Amino acid sequence: MSGLSDSKTDGAAGEKLRRIRTLEERIQKYQKSYYDGEAEISDAEFDSLWDELKSLDPSDPVLQKIGQDSGSFAKIRHIMPMGSQEKAATPEEFLLWAKKHVYDEYLVEYKLDGASLELQYRNGALVRAVTRGDGSIGDDITPNAKKMHGVQPLLLKDGGRVDFTGGIRGEVIMTHKVHDMLFADKANCRNAANGLMKRKDGSGSENLTLITYDALSEYEPQPFNDEEEKLQWLSAFGFTTVPLKICRTIQDVIAYRARVMEIRKTIDYDIDGLVVKERTIDRKDAERARPDRQIAFKFSLEEAVSVIRNVEWSISGATYTPVAVFDPVELAGTIVQRASLANPDTIRALGLKIGSHVVVVKRGEIIPKIESVVPGETENTSELLYPGTCETCGTTLVDEGSRLYCPNRSCSKRILHQLLKWISVVDIRDFGDTLIRSLFESGKVRSISDLYSLDIASLTPFFLNSESIASEKKSLGAEKVLRSIRSHTKLTLAAFIAGFDIEGIGETSVEKLVSAGLDTLDKLLSASVEQICSVYGFAEVMARSTVAGLAENAEEMQRLVSSGTIQLEEWNASGKLEGKSFCFTGELATMKRAEAQDLVKQSGGMVRSSVTKDLTYLVTNDASNGSTKNRKAEELGVSIITETEFLVLVKDLT
């Protein structure tokens, strides 16, 4: 979709409206296929679409609809409302709900991944079995239901029938064993169950099971006093009931969710989360289209539980970064077994040990993250070891908590990493890694300044052998590299600072500082931790790292600029592209990518190397190629424009 193709809609507002319409269409399409017994996507994928629409337009009418069954069965009104539950997909979302719902205890049940069914009883005898339908009226599939395991035709106690008139609600499921033996051709247990229960001839329903969790008498008083007693009442009549866990605190609920995630594959039927409610039965709340006092605390394709087997230390320049190695798990369709732990403080805050059971998340990010340690799983654990000395120079490492690093500025690995970072950020493309490593090992280049003192004579031996040099043969390679170096002496302040390889500080970070008024080298070098902390996106740890890194490199920075070796471009604070960011992917037809990026910077815009939710535009000439950046932009609702549209935009705004 082109972000500028619709002249009737205005920029970001137009993009938002188009995304809402797309989500409405997809949600209604997938709802229909689900209720017809042929679901096209998983619950987790459907929830992702639902949550995105809710974030864009909370009052959208589509969010108030549940769905509908096919037209091939008699329609029956429910005794119990079958509304949709509020959902939380992450601990953070659950905590937001819990702040508004403080209970003495939390009753937690499995959220069954099947098809809802209401059994209607008259004087203790089953008279109807009704599917969910639109939440008020569903299909009468009584003959099929009577064949299912767990459906009781009579409510018997002490040899006699109990005088109960009302509804009992449960979930029709197919066990993994049955699926594997008889219905492996179906995508999953839920799809198979949904299709079988609605067959006109009822065949196959004997392979399904009903698990119950709710009941309501049409007459008062109710035969139970609270939610726990309700499950006990159901169990007494021979119904299979959903497992119940009583948690005293919100953190207990989160911890229980993590433990269930870990054992989820051992359960004989599918669950896709937990239902969290209070002990008290709240009739008025239950009658709402979307009850407020209970919530579905969902699992996610982006979460899994695993076990830490090792912690390795990745060395980048001076910094030693811990990387967790754990048993392989599937996250968002990919198998992962490694995740960065950032720094020693992260390890300590998590209480991480070798053998710890941990929750691993992706949450839309490319890189997996260890979110928490599962409480109570402490057997067979051992303390992990931290490296003590630099493997290159032998200097004792400094553990600042937020960073474990080699403090020796003369450490060869640290210097080489800075040189490689400079070449990358400044984009001296003809200066490859092999050449810079060779120059470094020979001693000809030991600092950024040394790069700009190179000449043909010093470069030629790295391209020609001694015989060619003796015959005074010219090196085209040396000439090309020298031209490339000399054509990269005019830099933005952001690129200049980022090139010095300060821990955690890239061009985007420096751009934030520049935009906040620290728009000259002198201002940056004299900035205090407090000043940098006041800039959005800079917490104290990052601010201290920035100040320390600037101080460490200040002398060379000033020498490069004062000598005229590097010329810093002035920040265009009044540029027409101020506040807009661009990411480029694929080949451009009329210019090099670097030239396009310069156009953005000259007009006060920002260039990004990756697609994030705050990106303004992704520029590509092939939006349909399915690349990672294109897919991410579509998922996040980022405007995708062509090179031609980019040039029109730059021309119009500048």
Side-chain angles (χ1 to χ4, degrees):
M1 179 190 297
S2 167
L4 298 177
S5 59
D6 189 350
S7 60
K8 297 180 181 179
T9 36
D10 180 29
E15 285 296 327
K16 179 179 177 181
L17 181 60
R18 284 192 287 275
R19 182 59 180 168
I20 288 173
R21 296 293 174 259
T22 298
L23 289 167
E24 289 174 340
E25 291 173 6
R26 293 176 67 185
I27 287 171
Q28 291 180 95
K29 172 190 174 185
Y30 294 137
Q31 272 185 328
K32 183 179 186 303
S33 67
Y34 173 80
Y35 286 104
D36 284 345
E38 295 293 336
E40 298 177 49
I41 61 173
S42 69
D43 267 7
E45 292 170 308
F46 182 84
D47 286 343
S48 177
L49 298 175
W50 184 283
D51 292 342
E52 184 181 354
L53 179 58
K54 185 176 179 181
S55 69
L56 293 175
D57 184 12
S59 60
D60 194 292
V62 170
L63 298 175
Q64 312 308 315
K65 297 178 182 178
I66 295 173
Q68 60 184 26
D69 289 319
S70 62
S72 57
F73 292 91
K75 304 301 177 185
I76 302 295
R77 182 168 294 278
H78 295 147
I79 293 172
M80 306 170 64
M82 287 195 184
S84 293
Q85 292 173 309
E86 286 293 333
K87 294 190 294 291
T90 67
E92 292 78 13
E93 291 177 5
F94 174 66
L95 286 169
L96 288 175
W97 175 85
K99 284 181 179 178
K100 301 175 183 177
H101 302 82
V102 180
Y103 306 148
D104 292 335
E105 55 187 3
Y106 298 84
L107 275 65
V108 187
E109 303 168 356
Y110 288 174
K111 184 180 182 301
L112 304 168
D113 189 13
S116 294
L117 187 68
E118 180 184 79
L119 304 180
Q120 298 184 353
Y121 288 84
R122 181 68 57 191
N123 300 322
L126 177 65
V127 292
R128 293 188 189 89
V130 186
T131 62
R132 182 176 188 177
D134 65 1
S136 299
I137 297 174
D139 287 346
D140 182 352
I141 62 165
T142 307
N144 294 3
K146 287 181 176 180
K147 297 180 180 181
M148 298 176 187
H149 297 284
V151 174
Q152 304 299 329
L154 297 172
L155 302 184
L156 302 174
K157 186 176 182 182
D158 299 329
R161 194 165 77 186
V162 174
D163 186 18
F164 173 80
T165 298
I168 292 175
R169 184 176 177 184
E171 200 87 352
V172 178
I173 59 97
M174 176 180 287
T175 65
H176 296 155
K177 183 178 180 180
V178 169
H179 179 268
D180 294 342
M181 288 178 60
L182 302 175
F183 302 98
D185 59 316
K186 298 294 183 181
N188 53 55
C189 294
R190 183 199 64 196
N191 282 13
N194 210 28
L196 287 182
M197 65 187 279
K198 295 179 183 177
R199 283 183 176 175
K200 265 296 191 180
D201 61 4
S203 63
S205 290
E206 66 275 8
N207 295 303
L208 303 178
T209 299
L210 180 73
I211 300 177
T212 61
Y213 52 84
D214 205 357
L216 175 67
S217 171
E218 290 188 4
Y219 306 107
E220 295 295 343
Q222 296 296 315
F224 32 74
N225 295 312
D226 59 37
E227 293 288 351
E228 184 179 14
E229 284 188 16
K230 182 190 293 181
L231 293 178
Q232 294 169 347
W233 182 84
L234 287 166
S235 182
F237 292 115
F239 288 105
T240 301
T241 56
V242 67
L244 174 68
K245 172 73 173 179
I246 299 175
C247 296
R248 302 299 175 185
T249 68
I250 291 301
Q251 290 304 322
D252 288 344
V253 176
I254 294 173
Y256 178 61
R257 174 175 176 267
R259 286 195 291 274
V260 174
M261 284 168 57
E262 188 168 15
I263 66 168
R264 183 180 177 188
K265 290 186 178 180
T266 69
I267 301 172
D268 196 32
Y269 48 85
D270 289 336
I271 63 174
D272 59 357
L274 304 174
V275 175
V276 184
K277 59 180 71 171
E278 61 185 324
R279 177 176 287 277
T280 303
I281 297 173
D282 191 322
R283 288 280 303 275
K284 288 185 178 179
D285 187 61
E287 289 171 359
R288 295 180 181 179
R290 187 171 289 269
D292 173 67
R293 297 190 64 79
Q294 59 178 266
I295 192 168
F297 194 180
K298 303 270 286 185
F299 301 144
S300 167
L301 290 174
E302 300 172 336
E303 290 179 285
V305 174
S306 188
V307 180
I308 298 293
R309 299 302 179 189
N310 190 22
V311 171
E312 299 174 351
W313 295 84
S314 173
I315 308 169
S316 178
T319 304
Y320 285 62
T321 302
V323 178
V325 181
F326 44 83
D327 292 339
V329 292
E330 185 173 351
L331 289 177
T334 60
I335 302 298
V336 297
Q337 61 185 109
R338 299 167 65 87
S340 173
L341 291 167
N343 54 52
D345 271 353
T346 299
I347 295 175
R348 296 181 186 113
L350 288 169
L352 196 69
K353 297 181 179 181
I354 303 300
S356 292
H357 293 234
V358 295
V359 179
V360 189
V361 301
K362 261 194 174 181
R363 304 260 160 81
E365 301 297 328
I366 296 173
I367 302 174
K369 174 188 173 185
I370 303 293
E371 181 172 85
S372 61
V373 172
V374 179
E377 303 287 352
T378 58
E379 293 184 8
N380 302 316
T381 61
S382 59
E383 299 293 333
L384 59 89
L385 301 176
Y386 294 75
T389 58
C390 175
E391 68 169 22
T392 303
C393 67
T395 301
T396 299
L397 299 179
V398 175
D399 184 350
E400 289 186 343
S402 61
R403 184 185 178 207
L404 181 66
Y405 68 98
C406 172
N408 179 13
R409 285 203 65 200
S410 301
C411 178
S412 59
K413 189 163 189 173
R414 184 174 177 182
I415 297 171
L416 177 59
H417 193 272
Q418 185 182 59
L419 291 169
L420 291 169
K421 182 66 176 289
W422 180 268
I423 295 296
S424 172
V425 172
V426 177
D427 199 23
I428 307 179
R429 296 189 178 185
D430 297 312
F431 213 131
D433 283 7
T434 301
L435 177 58
I436 191 65
R437 291 178 188 275
S438 298
L439 287 165
F440 177 77
E441 291 167 3
S442 71
K444 288 188 178 295
V445 174
R446 303 294 293 187
S447 69
I448 293 171
S449 299
D450 289 344
L451 289 170
Y452 294 90
S453 64
L454 292 170
D455 54 24
I456 291 294
S458 58
L459 284 169
T460 297
F462 295 91
F463 291 89
L464 300 179
N465 57 32
S466 56
E467 185 178 330
S468 297
I469 294 173
S471 63
E472 298 185 354
K473 185 176 180 179
K474 288 186 177 181
S475 170
L476 297 179
E479 292 177 352
K480 187 177 182 181
V481 167
L482 192 61
R483 283 197 302 272
S484 187
I485 294 172
R486 291 175 177 174
S487 66
H488 289 81
T489 58
K490 190 173 183 179
L491 306 174
T492 64
L493 181 57
F496 179 73
I497 298 298
F500 274 85
D501 197 25
I502 298 172
E503 177 70 19
I505 305 301
E507 281 190 75
T508 300
S509 300
V510 184
E511 284 171 351
K512 291 178 181 177
L513 296 174
V514 172
S515 298
L518 299 174
D519 52 5
T520 68
L521 180 59
D522 287 340
K523 288 179 181 178
L524 280 172
L525 293 178
S526 61
S528 64
V529 172
E530 290 72 22
Q531 282 179 286
I532 292 181
C533 264
S534 67
V535 177
Y536 176 76
F538 282 80
E540 184 176 353
V541 170
M542 190 173 177
R544 290 188 182 281
S545 176
T546 303
V547 170
L550 288 169
E552 190 175 73
N553 292 282
E555 183 179 341
E556 186 171 18
M557 289 178 176
Q558 291 171 322
R559 182 169 64 250
L560 283 167
V561 173
S562 62
S563 66
T565 302
I566 297 296
Q567 301 173 51
L568 296 179
E569 299 173 348
E570 289 188 13
W571 171 253
N572 186 0
S574 60
K576 296 295 181 66
L577 294 183
E578 182 184 4
K580 292 179 170 54
S581 55
F582 296 77
C583 178
F584 296 84
T585 185
E587 291 188 9
L588 299 179
T590 63
M591 65 183 74
K592 292 182 179 180
R593 185 180 296 184
E595 294 173 327
Q597 292 172 337
D598 285 342
L599 280 177
V600 173
K601 293 174 182 178
Q602 288 165 14
S603 299
M606 293 173 285
V607 175
R608 298 281 185 263
S609 60
S610 60
V611 176
T612 57
K613 63 182 179 181
D614 59 348
L615 181 71
T616 311
Y617 296 108
L618 174 66
V619 183
T620 178
N621 284 327
D622 188 3
S624 61
N625 70 359
S627 71
T628 300
K629 288 181 178 177
N630 284 335
R631 292 200 308 271
K632 191 70 178 290
E634 289 180 355
E635 291 171 5
L636 297 176
V638 171
S639 295
I640 302 175
I641 62 175
T642 65
E643 179 182 351
T644 300
E645 289 171 324
F646 164 70
L647 293 173
V648 170
L649 181 67
V650 172
K651 181 179 179 182
D652 288 347
L653 293 179
T654 57

